[in-house]
């Protein structure tokens, strides 16, 4: 299954989607051991999940959107904990309209080495 970025969404639109529809949700914390800058850690996870950032106003947190070729929607909330501009841990909250896809994605995220 292939993920494709979804462009053109606003943060308000994503929040409306998440409150109006039934979404499966899974979370994970990823330790950052490589000394990545905060913005880079967030960007790496967005790229890994082939997602478009919805609102890039902060280097420490972000909302990303993607979908499968079959139309399954994926939204990712990322929050980076940092110290002096260097990421320590990243909390990833994946929300999908398909439960099995959500479980698979969070399993992959847990295996990432940052």
């Amino acid at each position: 299954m292939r993920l494709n970025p979804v462009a053109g969404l606003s943060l308000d639109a994503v929040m409306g989607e998440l409150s109006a529809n039934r979404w499966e949700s899974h979370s994970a914390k990823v330790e950052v051991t490589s000394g990545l800058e905060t913005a880079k850690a967030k960007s790496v996870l967005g790229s890994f999940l082939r997602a478009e950032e919805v609102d890039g106003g902060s280097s420490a947190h972000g909302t990303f959107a993607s979908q499968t070729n079959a139309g399954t929607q994926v939204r990712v909330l990322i929050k980076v904990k940092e110290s002096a501009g260097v990421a320590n841990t990243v909390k990833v909250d994946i929300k999908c309209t398909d439960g099995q896809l959500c479980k698979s994605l969070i399993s992959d995220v847990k295996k990432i080495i940052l």
Side-chain angles (χ1 to χ4, degrees):
M1 191 170 296
R2 179 182 167 98
L3 290 175
N4 300 303
V6 175
L9 289 177
S10 70
L11 196 52
D12 288 338
V14 171
M15 293 305 137
E17 286 178 341
L18 294 176
S19 65
N21 297 325
R22 177 164 158 65
W23 294 78
E24 189 77 23
S25 181
H26 292 278
S27 300
K29 282 189 180 179
V30 179
E31 296 295 321
V32 180
T33 58
S34 64
L36 277 177
E37 293 177 0
T38 301
K40 185 69 173 174
K42 183 178 82 165
S43 174
V44 166
L45 281 166
S47 294
F48 176 78
L49 293 166
R50 298 188 43 85
E52 179 83 19
E53 189 165 10
V54 174
D55 182 13
S58 171
S59 63
H61 58 83
T63 302
F64 293 81
S66 64
Q67 68 182 11
T68 67
N69 289 341
T72 301
Q73 299 296 311
V74 178
R75 303 296 179 259
V76 183
L77 310 173
I78 295 175
K79 183 173 183 180
V80 182
K81 290 196 176 186
E82 64 178 330
S83 176
V86 177
N88 294 328
T89 59
V90 181
K91 183 175 184 216
V92 182
D93 185 16
I94 299 178
K95 301 179 182 299
C96 304
T97 55
D98 177 275
Q100 189 58 44
L101 175 62
C102 203
K103 287 178 187 176
S104 296
L105 289 174
I106 206 66
S107 176
D108 289 346
V109 165
K110 289 177 181 178
K111 296 172 187 170
I112 293 175
I113 298 173
L114 292 175

